[in-house]
């Protein structure tokens, strides 16, 4: 929801120093990745118009032409056994559950970005 989006964006910007773009649905997320290169995508699994699984599949298909891999972290309220594995099998690089725990979120972002080749890095504002 917009309030949660605002809070997460502000935390990522203020505490993490990241530059953040927000897509309100899966269609917009795919378009954003098509238009710009992102160091990391935090993908809500449940979005309107196109869910996070379908959006991830479309991004992974686009990467064949783009020539690079964009790390994607799943954000989900699903905490049942097998949900993490389902996200990873769908092509996501990481998984975090709602409600977001800040230290866990920042640790996962840093861990995921550390696996990206050195030619790409975190977009931190100065």
């Amino acid at each position: 929801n917009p309030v949660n989006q605002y809070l997460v964006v502000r935390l990522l910007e203020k505490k993490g120093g990241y530059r953040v773009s927000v897509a309100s649905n899966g269609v917009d997320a795919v378009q954003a990745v098509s238009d710009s290169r992102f160091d990391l995508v935090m993908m809500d699994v449940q979005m309107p118009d196109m869910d996070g699984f379908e959006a991830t599949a479309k991004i992974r298909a686009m990467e064949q032409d783009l020539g690079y891999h964009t790390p994607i972290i799943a954000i989900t309220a699903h905490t049942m056994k097998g949900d993490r594995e389902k996200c990873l099998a769908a092509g996501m690089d990481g998984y975090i559950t709602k409600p977001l725990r800040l230290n866990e979120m920042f640790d996962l972002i840093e861990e995921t970005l550390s696996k990206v080749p050195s030619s790409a890095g975190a977009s931190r504002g100065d």
Side-chain angles (χ1 to χ4, degrees):
N1 73 39
V3 173
N4 289 340
Q5 281 180 352
Y6 175 80
L7 290 173
V8 171
V9 166
R10 297 300 297 161
L11 287 167
L12 288 167
E13 290 173 340
K14 292 281 187 189
K15 186 175 187 242
Y18 298 106
R19 286 180 286 165
V20 180
S21 297
V22 176
S24 59
N25 60 58
V27 173
D28 291 346
V30 171
Q31 187 63 51
V33 172
S34 175
D35 292 343
S36 301
R37 185 166 182 175
F38 290 88
D39 295 316
L40 182 124
V41 172
M42 296 186 72
M43 182 75 71
D44 196 327
V45 171
Q46 293 181 301
M47 291 185 291
D49 301 326
M50 179 188 298
D51 69 23
F53 292 110
E54 187 177 352
T56 297
K58 289 189 180 296
I59 291 168
R60 294 296 179 236
M62 285 187 322
E63 289 176 342
Q64 302 301 314
D65 294 326
L66 296 173
Y68 58 84
H69 176 83
T70 302
I72 298 174
I73 295 175
I75 301 175
T76 182
H78 298 287
T79 59
M80 301 294 288
K81 183 177 180 178
D83 287 334
R84 180 181 188 279
E85 291 75 16
K86 182 179 177 185
C87 290
L88 298 178
M92 297 173 184
D93 301 278
Y95 167 91
I96 192 166
T97 59
K98 298 177 197 175
L100 295 175
R101 289 167 296 287
L102 295 181
N103 289 337
E104 182 182 341
M105 179 180 71
F106 282 108
D107 288 348
L108 180 58
I109 289 169
E110 291 300 321
E111 176 187 333
T112 303
L113 289 173
S114 74
K115 296 175 185 174
V116 176
S118 60
S119 62
S123 290
R124 292 184 185 260
D126 291 326

